[in-house]
Amino acid sequence: MLKNKIRYIFILLALTVIGCAKRGYITGGLKDTIAPVLKASFPKNLSVNFKGKEINLTFDEYVKLKNLNKQLIISPPLKYNPEVSPLTPSKIINIKIKDTLQENTTYSFNFGQSIEDNNEGNPYNQFKYIFSTGSYIDSLKVGGTIKDALNKKEDSFVSVMLYEVNDKFNDSVVYKTVPRYITNTLDSLKTFKIENVKAGKYLLIAMKDANGNNKFNPKDDKIGFRKQLVTIPNDSLFELKLFKEVLAFKTVKPFQTTGNKLILGYEGNPKNMKVVLKKGNEIIPSIVTKYPSKDSVQVWYKPIKADSLNLAVANENYNKSYTFKKTVQKKDTLSFSAKTSLGLSKLDQFTIYSTRPLVKFDESKIKVTDKDSVNVKFTTSYDIYNQELKFDIPKEPLQSYRFQLLPGALTDYLGQKNDTLSYKVNTRNTTDYGNLRVNLSNVKQFPVIVQLTNDRGDVVTSEFLDKVNFVDFMFLEPAKYTLRVIYDANGNKEWDSGNFLERRQPEEVIYFPKEIDVRGNWDVDQTFDLSR
């Protein structure tokens, strides 16, 4: 009996020892989610009568700086950026001011999310260091929202600026001078708020500032503006719509690419451009077409013996003349390519692209047949500017069409003709497509343009309405579409951008709040209330 008790105690002791010797794991505790805390600053935050050139910020833990060049917003802007250090983790951030500060001015250093703790990257969100070179801190503010005038998605890192209306103010301030006050939406905000503003009258501007110089460059920057001046204090919230201006038309010196073609680059709208090619006083017949995917046109002409040629360009009030030496270049060739897909929509047309502009068409040498070799009636149209030959045929579902062009059906401007061309195109069943009817309500004025865009923002289909308040989009590819309506104020069937100097806002665009899901073999009937 005693022996059994001793054995039982021994087993208990052994199990206890084994349990104590079992391997454990250090968990490290909960993850740190607390942002750094500013313990002290010198000079003190919100100081007045600031005269120094150096600022020190002391934190309760080691911090690091991230994307400081994008996140740090200084208002009013400084001509020379301050030196902020160190770039390695530290409990103290040092700021050295390299610019001359304005008198009686409140300055704000908004660090955005650039200050993070060193271990977990928790940001000290929207930390501001504020001081005044005068005897008080300006405390007024102005705020609002940012939108893109045409696109549904807003830009990030949009600057919002106030220009003080004083004896030096004029319309050119946005091009030549930096604003009095500035803020930035950074990478996540659609709203803005400019704080520490003094009372007065201001021009309110939003800008997608491509080169970060706080000045408007129409070639690269988007702009939005409040047409009326803003008087502060003001409790209103302002909406600013960003747009890209259409540049004033101008051209650059043309250059020769082949023996019979020039490339002429341009800025602005080439819609009304006229081009005249001359040898001395003799006008040389020419054809102008679009250069694919470039802001340029191609000027085609027949072979001519000349040492130099003159090209005159006119577009409304713009006139420019160029003289250039004609060099021996390789000859361009005539070839064709086709868009071989063909949908059932009335907008879908079989299209052939020619590498040189065409001038003559012999439809007796063109034939369109279906899968049963039955001739199909067709009409053609040629878009010379885009060098595209389009076929319009009565399309049927689950059909196969063959487009045959015999030699000599097409002739280009140099007299060269096509060899035999043959293309086969199939159509799908109607059940592969969806249909969408859009019913517009509370339209405040006509005409309007109704558009569907895809997930990239490209326009898939568009309709111009000058009276009726509904539109049918037939035979759509199954997808999710974005629906928008443009108030076409001038009735030119396209969206028109704005212009700052003319104080002209872009044409109004209203988006349907949700994506529209169009599915195969479905009919969608959607009401769009434009008063919302």
Side-chain angles (χ1 to χ4, degrees):
M1 189 72 174
L2 180 61
K3 190 177 290 185
N4 288 338
K5 286 183 179 180
I6 293 172
R7 183 181 299 165
Y8 179 71
I9 292 171
F10 179 80
I11 293 171
L12 285 177
L13 287 172
L15 289 174
T16 302
V17 171
I18 292 171
C20 291
K22 187 180 293 183
R23 180 177 294 175
Y25 297 91
I26 299 175
T27 62
L30 296 174
K31 181 179 179 180
D32 178 15
T33 59
I34 300 174
V37 175
L38 182 69
K39 291 182 63 178
S41 59
F42 182 82
K44 190 176 179 180
N45 203 356
L46 301 176
S47 292
V48 296
N49 298 313
F50 185 95
K51 305 297 182 185
K53 288 287 187 180
E54 192 168 339
I55 302 164
N56 284 302
L57 308 174
T58 302
F59 294 88
D60 65 337
E61 59 180 314
Y62 281 90
V63 296
K64 58 186 176 182
L65 297 172
K66 183 178 179 181
N67 295 330
L68 189 69
N69 59 331
K70 279 192 171 184
Q71 294 284 335
L72 176 60
I73 307 299
I74 302 173
S75 180
L78 298 174
K79 184 177 181 180
Y80 305 106
N81 289 329
E83 180 183 314
V84 183
S85 62
L87 300 179
T88 55
S90 173
K91 287 188 176 183
I92 299 176
I93 292 178
N94 177 263
I95 305 168
K96 292 181 180 178
I97 299 172
K98 297 184 174 183
D99 208 349
T100 301
L101 301 177
Q102 303 176 47
E103 295 181 354
N104 300 315
T105 300
T106 298
Y107 283 88
S108 170
F109 285 59
N110 186 342
F111 284 82
Q113 294 187 322
S114 62
I115 299 176
E116 299 180 344
D117 70 40
N118 184 49
N119 292 324
E120 299 294 343
N122 299 311
Y124 191 167
N125 194 34
Q126 302 295 323
F127 167 66
K128 291 183 181 180
Y129 180 83
I130 298 167
F131 64 85
S132 174
T133 56
S135 59
Y136 60 91
I137 300 287
D138 291 316
S139 58
L140 300 177
K141 60 185 178 182
V142 61
T145 57
I146 298 293
K147 286 182 64 177
D148 190 277
L150 178 62
N151 301 311
K152 190 172 185 179
K153 186 178 179 181
E154 298 84 3
D155 286 297
S156 58
F157 292 100
V158 175
S159 296
V160 185
M161 308 167 175
L162 287 174
Y163 293 85
E164 188 175 14
V165 179
N166 52 29
D167 56 353
K168 297 180 180 180
F169 177 84
N170 56 52
D171 286 343
S172 65
V173 291
V174 299
Y175 303 92
K176 297 179 179 180
T177 62
V178 297
R180 174 70 177 184
Y181 299 103
I182 188 170
T183 190
N184 194 283
T185 62
L186 301 180
D187 56 354
S188 60
L189 299 178
K190 299 176 184 178
T191 60
F192 68 88
K193 183 166 60 176
I194 304 178
E195 298 180 304
N196 303 110
V197 178
K198 74 175 183 178
K201 188 175 288 187
Y202 297 90
L203 171 66
L204 177 60
I205 293 288
M207 194 186 304
K208 178 62 178 175
D209 188 8
N211 60 10
N213 66 351
N214 298 322
K215 297 176 184 177
F216 180 43
N217 177 5
K219 185 174 181 179
D220 301 315
D221 301 338
K222 285 183 178 180
I223 193 169
F225 62 92
R226 170 79 177 171
K227 191 172 183 178
Q228 296 79 20
L229 297 175
V230 175
T231 300
I232 297 176
N234 195 314
D235 293 331
S236 300
L237 293 176
F238 301 100
E239 182 181 77
L240 299 176
K241 297 180 180 180
L242 281 173
F243 60 90
K244 187 78 166 56
E245 285 190 354
V246 176
L247 298 175
F249 182 82
K250 70 175 184 179
T251 56
V252 296
K253 188 172 182 178
F255 59 94
Q256 190 177 353
T257 57
T258 68
N260 304 104
K261 182 175 67 177
L262 303 172
I263 301 295
L264 176 68
Y266 63 83
E267 289 181 357
N269 188 347
K271 184 176 180 180
N272 299 314
M273 179 176 60
K274 306 295 182 185
V275 171
V276 177
L277 188 64
K278 287 185 176 182
K279 174 187 175 184
N281 294 323
E282 177 189 358
I283 295 179
I284 308 300
S286 61
I287 297 174
V288 177
T289 68
K290 182 76 175 73
Y291 190 81
S293 304
K294 299 286 185 181
D295 287 338
S296 302
V297 294
Q298 303 168 108
V299 182
W300 306 83
Y301 55 93
K302 292 183 178 181
I304 183 174
K305 291 183 178 181
D307 293 328
S308 64
L309 295 173
N310 177 269
L311 185 72
V313 184
N315 191 341
E316 297 179 349
N317 297 324
Y318 178 86
N319 291 279
K320 185 76 173 180
S321 182
Y322 301 97
T323 299
F324 58 93
K325 291 183 177 180
K326 188 173 180 297
T327 59
V328 176
Q329 297 274 358
K330 65 179 182 180
K331 293 182 179 180
D332 44 48
T333 58
L334 176 63
S335 62
F336 300 89
S337 58
K339 298 178 182 177
T340 54
S341 61
L342 186 63
L344 293 175
S345 168
K346 64 180 181 180
L347 300 177
D348 294 325
Q349 294 178 302
F350 178 69
T351 302
I352 298 175
Y353 172 78
S354 59
T355 56
R356 291 202 302 228
L358 304 176
V359 295
K360 188 177 179 181
F361 309 88
D362 186 349
E363 289 193 355
S364 68
K365 297 181 178 180
I366 301 176
K367 184 166 64 172
V368 181
T369 55
D370 64 15
K371 62 183 177 183
D372 297 320
S373 299
V374 176
N375 289 340
V376 177
K377 290 183 178 180
F378 68 91
T379 58
T380 61
S381 60
Y382 185 62
D383 179 356
I384 193 168
Y385 187 67
N386 290 296
Q387 297 170 223
E388 291 182 340
L389 177 65
K390 298 178 183 292
F391 288 78
D392 190 17
I393 63 172
K395 299 179 288 293
E396 298 292 339
L398 294 175
Q399 185 58 269
S400 177
Y401 297 98
R402 184 176 295 278
F403 296 79
Q404 294 177 299
L405 294 85
L406 299 177
L410 311 176
T411 306
D412 74 6
Y413 80 109
L414 292 178
Q416 186 172 344
K417 301 179 186 296
N418 67 291
D419 295 326
T420 299
L421 301 173
S422 181
Y423 305 97
K424 185 179 179 181
V425 186
N426 298 318
T427 57
R428 294 186 291 175
N429 201 343
T430 54
T431 57
D432 292 335
Y433 300 96
N435 302 316
L436 169 64
R437 167 165 282 200
V438 177
N439 301 288
L440 303 179
S441 64
N442 295 308
V443 181
K444 64 183 179 183
Q445 66 185 45
F446 283 98
V448 296
I449 304 169
V450 186
Q451 295 182 333
L452 293 179
T453 66
N454 59 21
D455 56 0
R456 299 185 301 276
D458 303 323
V459 177
V460 175
T461 184
S462 179
E463 287 287 346
F464 176 81
L465 305 180
D466 57 358
K467 293 180 181 178
V468 298
N469 60 356
F470 72 91
V471 59
D472 290 318
F473 294 110
M474 307 296 291
F475 304 113
L476 294 171
E477 292 281 351
K480 290 185 177 181
Y481 294 94
T482 298
L483 170 64
R484 70 186 181 196
V485 169
I486 299 169
Y487 280 110
D488 189 12
N490 60 7
N492 67 348
K493 300 183 179 181
E494 61 184 22
W495 178 77
D496 290 290
S497 188
N499 186 280
F500 171 73
L501 284 180
E502 296 175 8
R503 290 297 192 272
R504 174 167 49 83
Q505 295 285 358
E507 289 181 330
E508 185 179 3
V509 181
I510 300 176
Y511 277 88
F512 189 71
K514 299 184 295 183
E515 286 185 321
I516 297 177
D517 189 6
V518 176
R519 302 181 184 181
N521 203 29
W522 276 39
D523 293 323
V524 180
D525 196 306
Q526 181 65 62
T527 298
F528 189 178
D529 185 355
L530 298 181
S531 66
R532 294 179 181 176

